[in-house]
Structures are given as structure tokens and as C-alpha cells.
Amino acid sequence: MSEIFDVYEATAHLLFEEPTCITWIGGLSLPECVRRFGGDPLQIREADFEDIYEEGYDLDPDDPRDGAILLDQQGDWVVVVEPTSHRGISSALLRRLSSDGAALSVYWTVNGDAYVKWAERGHVLYSFDPVALDSVNPDEAEVGWVVDHGVGLDAWAQDWFAATLTLAEKITSVRFDSAWPGRTHLGVTVGPIPTA
């Protein structure tokens, strides 16, 4: 285990209580991330997690083209948090988000299903179920990739969400602390994802 994992194991349950999609994007400006998610950079405003959560639920639940996202720029990385949607886990969008760099996305459902994807230079290289990662063949490429980034299988077995946040921090140097959801970030309503 690592110090980063220990921090997340102690605090991850305070961060996101509902199913959420989190995407870390390197190599794109924040306005360009907004465009690729289907938003207008001119509509960006200050918001916190609760604002975006409520806004997402106020939108038409029968229209999956609408959503609301929270954004945070830390160094070279933009973090996009979707409390009521999961467009960031889409392989097609990840290919576009990573076209000039890299993108990591995690999404989990109310039923406990979870997904992690990593893309570089327009290609999704790894896609796996973080809940069951410790039980797959150790020779699988995904296992080697996470272990090479310093997150051993014991961490995934103990707490997949803390392990995922640890992996993200080791790659991006972006830290989620327990106060993150309550802090003011940037928010925007998004529509259909552009195709080009």
C-alpha cells in the first residue's frame, strides 16, 4: 500500500456518495474540454458539486443528450466530474479527449458496477472492471499497467475506489481531498456531444 492509498481509503467515502463519472484529461485546454463534452465555454460559471448535481437532475431525464459537468484545472490536467451522467467513460469521447495527450475515466453505478478506461493519443489502451481487477489473470495487460503505476492488486482488493483515485493521482498529480466537492470550481450545462 502507499501513503496516497491510505489517504483515499480514509476519505473516499466522503467525496462522492452517488454514482459519478470522473475524467482526468491531459493535453487539452479547459475550454476545449468543455467543447468536446458538448458545452459552450462562454457559458462556464462558478459552481460546486451540489450545484451541478441539482442542475443535472433538473434537466430532462428522458433526454440523455443533456447534462451538467463540474470542471477543475490543476496543472496540465483538467478534471471533469459528472454527478448525473457518464459521457466521460465513452470510448468514442475518450479517444477525442486524448487526441493530444491522455485521459483517464472512472464511472460507477448505483448497482455497484464500475468501469475504468485509459486512453492516449486517440486510442483507448486499457479498459477494466476495477471491482474485480484483483481476481483477473496477473498476466493481463491492465494488471501490469496499474502495478507499474504503483497500485498493487492488494489495494484493488481492499478498496477499488481508493485504488482508482490513487492511480489517477500517481498519473496526474491531482489530489481529491474531502473538501473538494464543497469548494467552488467551474460548471457548465452540456448538450449533444459533437461528432467532430
Side-chain angles (χ1 to χ4, degrees):
M1 304 294 176
S2 71
E3 180 182 339
I4 297 172
F5 176 84
D6 292 342
V7 169
Y8 282 126
E9 187 181 30
T11 61
H13 67 284
L14 302 173
L15 290 169
F16 306 103
E17 297 177 9
E18 300 287 335
T20 302
C21 183
I22 308 169
T23 307
W24 296 258
I25 304 140
L28 285 182
S29 68
L30 189 144
E32 187 56 31
C33 289
V34 169
R35 283 187 200 93
R36 294 188 190 191
F37 265 85
D40 179 352
L42 296 178
Q43 300 299 314
I44 295 172
R45 68 199 177 285
E46 290 189 343
D48 64 19
F49 182 85
E50 191 63 29
D51 296 332
I52 296 301
Y53 181 84
E54 290 175 3
E55 184 175 331
Y57 274 105
D58 286 342
L59 296 170
D60 182 354
D62 296 322
D63 190 348
R65 297 173 301 158
D66 291 332
I69 60 175
L70 191 64
L71 301 109
D72 184 22
Q73 174 100 45
Q74 293 192 35
D76 295 332
W77 292 84
V78 175
V79 181
V80 177
V81 176
E82 303 173 73
T84 59
S85 60
H86 55 274
R87 57 182 67 195
I89 201 69
S90 158
S91 293
L93 182 56
L94 280 174
R95 285 192 288 272
R96 294 191 63 232
L97 293 172
S98 68
S99 62
D100 296 320
L104 174 69
S105 190
V106 58
Y107 168 62
W108 64 99
T109 71
V110 70
N111 296 325
D113 299 320
Y115 313 90
V116 172
K117 293 182 181 179
W118 170 255
E120 286 182 61
R121 301 289 172 192
H123 301 280
V124 176
L125 301 180
Y126 303 106
S127 178
F128 59 92
D129 174 354
V131 178
L133 187 63
D134 64 306
S135 63
V136 303
N137 183 330
D139 295 330
E140 292 291 326
E142 290 82 2
V143 173
W145 179 69
V146 299
V147 170
D148 287 348
H149 280 91
V151 188
L153 291 181
D154 53 343
W156 296 93
Q158 190 166 322
D159 186 330
W160 73 265
F161 187 48
T164 302
L165 293 178
T166 302
L167 176 68
E169 182 169 332
K170 285 178 176 279
I171 292 171
T172 67
S173 298
V174 173
R175 166 68 56 99
F176 275 105
D177 60 30
S178 58
W180 192 94
R183 282 200 295 270
T184 299
H185 304 287
L186 298 173
V188 67
T189 302
V190 293
I193 297 174
T195 57

